[in-house]
Amino acid sequence: MSSRALRAAERWLRLVVRLYPVDFRDEMGQAFIETYLDRCRSAHAHGGAVGVVGVCVRALMESVVNGLGARARPAAAWRRSG
């Protein structure tokens, strides 16, 4: 990534994914980051750094709801135990 905004977005997304439970991060964390980075690249191409900030804010909002929700009420506790 060439833009400073995109490099900052990657660092931000690596922090945001930590809102999710460990098992989610182990299985889906990298895909989560790559998906949002793709969205950031597209937003950067159309709106510059402001577009990237918008994607990062959206990632945070979704992670607060979904990540913290999964921690509070795990739907798949069986994933770790088999």
Side-chain angles (χ1 to χ4, degrees):
M1 292 189 280
S2 60
S3 167
R4 189 181 332 167
L6 292 174
R7 288 191 306 272
E10 182 174 6
R11 288 190 304 271
W12 173 252
L13 293 168
R14 292 192 183 282
L15 289 173
V16 168
V17 77
R18 297 181 80 45
L19 293 171
Y20 286 91
V22 173
D23 61 334
F24 176 87
R25 291 193 315 255
D26 288 348
E27 293 176 30
M28 300 296 297
Q30 190 59 38
F32 171 94
I33 292 167
E34 289 173 11
T35 298
Y36 272 105
L37 283 176
D38 286 344
R39 291 179 183 178
C40 285
R41 287 183 194 99
S42 178
H44 188 266
H46 293 87
V50 173
V52 174
V53 169
V55 171
C56 289
V57 168
R58 179 69 183 217
L60 176 62
M61 291 182 342
E62 291 177 2
S63 296
V64 166
V65 171
N66 297 321
L68 295 180
R71 284 176 180 263
R73 301 188 76 194
W78 53 268
R79 285 191 283 193
R80 285 286 184 196
S81 62

